[in-house]
Amino acid sequence: MDEDLLTIGAFAARARLSAKALRLYDRLGLLAPARVDEVSGYRYYRAGQVERARLVAMLRQLDMPLARIAEVVETDGTESADRLTAYWADVEARVAGQRTLVEYLRGRLSGRSSEMYGKFEVETVDVPAQVVITETRHTLADELPTWIGASLGRLEEASRECGGVTAAPFVVYHSEVSMESDGPAESCVPVADEAAARAWAEKQGRGRQFTVRVEPARRLAYTRISKAQVAHPQILAAFEAVEAWMKREGLEYDGPCREVYFADWDAAGAEDPVCDVAFPVR
């Protein structure tokens, strides 16, 4: 046997890990033994694998998914550091969202909902009937922002074949979108030429559930929010504020809720108004 090989017990002691952890790393494909005895099944490791074993253990302490651990340990130098940085940025963004959700829920549970709703000014607006090209998708809340941007981008590109965009694009929620409920959500772009829009939709087929329809004239109760407030869960308070206002005014729902994106998202700052949170009412 190669004299440089260490038994699993000796290697575990040097790596400051348990033999059980090493067997797990092997099973997960993160750290394979240098040699496995065909008869006994004993695992043997090289001393040079100690650093990788310790790295895997530390990354697991960050609750990093196995696939991303593999990406880090399989790369070198600045690339592996960059992958770790990207992962931790995702973690911090998620924690920031959870922290905001805790504050939001604390307000609700302590009976301070009216204080939160008072931050939003609600008005009504009459919107005429309009032809819209749409794309529908079942999506969970964590995937929603990326899908909205990509979907509206596709539809705005397609609008060139349909007479151009005639009003602000919007997203309709036909059912709840959360981490447990996947909608569906429908992105919509109003266009000028219905016949051209239907010809365009016919060419797309059913792959991405593109459709053309006439959105009827509606009265919307809405509140205007900033780019920062669009993030979940801040936006929940805006939806609830509009609903609370509707109840006080004696208005009834007349269709699914929506978000109307009237500003250039990429050019807007965090405090710039970009979106109307709206409910059709009667």
Side-chain angles (χ1 to χ4, degrees):
M1 183 179 296
D2 190 332
E3 294 181 356
D4 292 334
L5 293 179
L6 302 171
T7 65
I8 189 172
F11 183 79
R14 188 171 298 189
R16 297 192 293 275
L17 295 169
S18 68
K20 180 180 179 181
L22 292 174
R23 294 188 187 97
L24 175 64
Y25 296 169
D26 181 19
R27 188 164 66 251
L28 298 177
L30 298 174
L31 182 68
R35 179 178 179 274
V36 178
D37 188 278
E38 296 180 359
V39 177
S40 66
Y42 289 170
R43 294 172 169 86
Y44 297 91
Y45 295 82
R46 295 190 184 281
Q49 293 179 281
V50 167
E51 181 60 29
R52 176 166 175 146
R54 291 176 179 172
L55 176 59
V56 170
M58 288 186 286
L59 293 173
R60 281 177 59 79
Q61 291 179 35
L62 298 177
D63 294 327
M64 182 179 284
L66 299 177
R68 297 190 75 161
I69 290 178
E71 291 176 358
V72 172
V73 299
E74 292 296 341
T75 53
D76 298 315
T78 57
E79 184 178 354
S80 58
D82 289 344
R83 290 181 183 274
L84 175 58
T85 299
Y87 167 72
W88 195 246
D90 291 343
V91 171
E92 291 183 322
R94 184 176 71 252
V95 171
Q98 291 172 331
R99 185 180 300 114
T100 303
L101 179 57
V102 168
E103 291 302 316
Y104 167 75
L105 292 173
R106 186 178 294 157
R108 290 190 61 176
L109 295 172
S110 62
R112 293 188 291 106
S113 296
S114 59
E115 295 179 22
M116 296 188 295
Y117 300 159
K119 301 176 183 179
F120 300 96
E121 182 178 346
V122 183
E123 301 179 70
T124 60
V125 62
D126 291 312
V127 179
Q130 49 193 348
V131 176
V132 293
I133 55 176
T134 82
E135 181 180 354
T136 302
R137 177 174 171 175
H138 288 273
T139 177
L140 297 175
D142 59 342
E143 303 167 337
L144 183 63
T146 300
W147 176 76
I148 288 177
S151 179
L152 291 180
R154 287 190 288 269
L155 293 175
E156 288 174 355
E157 178 71 21
S159 70
R160 299 175 184 177
E161 300 180 36
C162 309
V165 178
T166 59
F170 56 97
V171 177
V172 177
Y173 297 99
H174 294 283
S175 187
E176 180 183 4
V177 174
S178 65
M179 293 308 295
E180 289 78 34
S181 177
D182 64 353
E186 179 188 28
S187 59
C188 306
V189 171
V191 295
D193 190 331
E194 181 178 356
R198 295 194 181 282
W200 167 82
E202 185 69 24
K203 290 191 300 182
Q204 306 311 307
R206 298 181 179 273
R208 285 192 172 144
Q209 298 187 342
F210 291 109
T211 62
V212 176
R213 61 182 176 82
V214 177
E215 174 78 2
R218 297 185 184 276
R219 170 163 289 186
L220 300 179
Y222 73 96
T223 188
R224 185 152 291 183
I225 61 176
S226 68
K227 185 174 182 178
Q229 291 172 315
V230 171
H232 187 277
Q234 293 94 314
I235 198 169
L236 296 180
F239 275 108
E240 292 186 1
V242 177
E243 289 183 290
W245 182 89
M246 290 165 53
K247 185 176 181 179
R248 292 195 302 270
E249 296 294 319
L251 297 173
E252 297 181 1
Y253 298 95
D254 192 29
C257 61
R258 58 202 59 205
E259 297 163 9
V260 183
Y261 291 94
F262 56 82
D264 184 336
W265 180 269
D266 293 332
E271 302 307 316
D272 292 333
V274 297
C275 174
D276 290 336
V277 168
F279 286 84
V281 296
R282 61 174 180 268

